[in-house]
Amino acid sequence: MTIGQAFGLVAQAHVRHAFTDYARLLRIPGMTRDEALLIVRPEVAAIIAGWATPRGGRGVVADPPCEAPV
């Protein structure tokens, strides 16, 4: 496994636990871990895709705040 693959797995796990209803789904009686993963997978993918920047790209950088003259 490469460092990039390992980072990808860690990022997916973080997003799944921090930004989706994964934990709530696991508390539903009869809901399996695999079913919960399947339900949140599209949401996890969309969040991570929103973080992506093109290779070599800088992504979107906001303008720095204006400073008042001294």
Side-chain angles (χ1 to χ4, degrees):
M1 176 182 296
T2 68
I3 191 82
Q5 291 168 327
F7 179 81
L9 293 174
V10 170
Q12 288 175 26
H14 173 70
V15 168
R16 181 171 55 250
H17 290 274
F19 300 110
T20 71
D21 288 331
Y22 180 70
R24 185 186 61 79
L25 291 170
L26 290 176
R27 290 192 299 269
I28 296 173
M31 176 72 66
T32 68
R33 178 179 173 272
D34 288 338
E35 290 170 329
L37 286 170
L38 212 65
I39 291 168
V40 300
R41 184 175 290 148
E43 186 177 2
V44 169
I47 291 169
I48 290 177
W51 292 350
T53 58
R55 236 178 225 272
R58 293 173 43 111
V60 176
V61 178
D63 292 332
C66 295
E67 293 184 22
V70 179

